[in-house]
Amino acid sequence: MASYPVDPRQPDAAYLSFWRERHLCTLTTLRPDGGPHVVPVGVTYDPGAGLARVIANKSSAKVRHVLAAGADGARVAVCQVDGRRWATLEGRATVSVEPARIAEAERRYAERYGRTPSPNPSRVVIEIVLTSAMGRG
């Protein structure tokens, strides 16, 4: 299967359906030396807002890498794979500590993954403003 570009704000039905299924994903950030840091995460995709969200602990390496990029955000990618189906979302990530944004990310996580995240006073949300997408849903 060849890859194909997807409009991250207007994905086709198969692509969007794939992102609504329960799948473990990866988040790729860049370390200070430029090397990739790839970790497993839960991701939610909101094409209407042009966002992907990842809940995280504020002391995690992924959060530190995003914060180190500064106010413009860090270039990141999130990806999921299931057999021959795969999907990648790319964009600029920032970290939010706003309770309403964290609550929205938790709500979406619970919807996609079928469980409410445990309470965590150190939780933040990594918000990725999507710039491109590709894959095979």
Side-chain angles (χ1 to χ4, degrees):
M1 288 183 177
S3 67
Y4 67 94
V6 175
D7 180 342
R9 288 185 163 270
Q10 295 183 337
D12 62 45
Y15 193 84
L16 184 55
S17 177
F18 185 41
W19 276 105
R20 289 185 173 149
E21 295 172 11
R22 186 181 191 281
H23 292 287
L24 186 61
C25 303
T26 60
L27 168 68
T28 303
T29 58
L30 296 178
R31 294 183 182 101
D33 68 2
H37 177 254
V38 184
V39 294
V41 294
V43 176
T44 61
Y45 175 33
D46 181 357
L51 288 176
R53 296 175 179 92
V54 176
I55 56 176
N57 192 300
K58 67 182 175 185
S59 65
S60 67
K62 59 186 161 283
V63 169
R64 288 194 311 270
H65 296 157
V66 171
L67 291 173
D72 289 340
R75 293 200 56 187
V76 302
V78 290
C79 184
Q80 65 182 22
V81 177
D82 181 35
R84 294 174 54 98
R85 298 181 306 155
W86 63 276
T88 300
L89 301 169
E90 298 178 6
R92 289 256 172 211
T94 56
V95 175
S96 178
V97 298
E98 292 179 33
R101 289 179 173 214
I102 294 168
E104 178 65 6
E106 291 171 333
R107 182 190 71 75
R108 289 175 178 276
Y109 180 96
E111 185 177 275
R112 182 174 189 200
Y113 291 98
R115 70 172 195 83
T116 302
S118 302
N120 180 351
S122 296
R123 181 166 290 134
V124 297
V125 59
I126 298 172
E127 294 180 322
I128 305 163
V129 176
L130 301 173
T131 56
S132 62
M134 62 182 148
R136 195 81 181 167

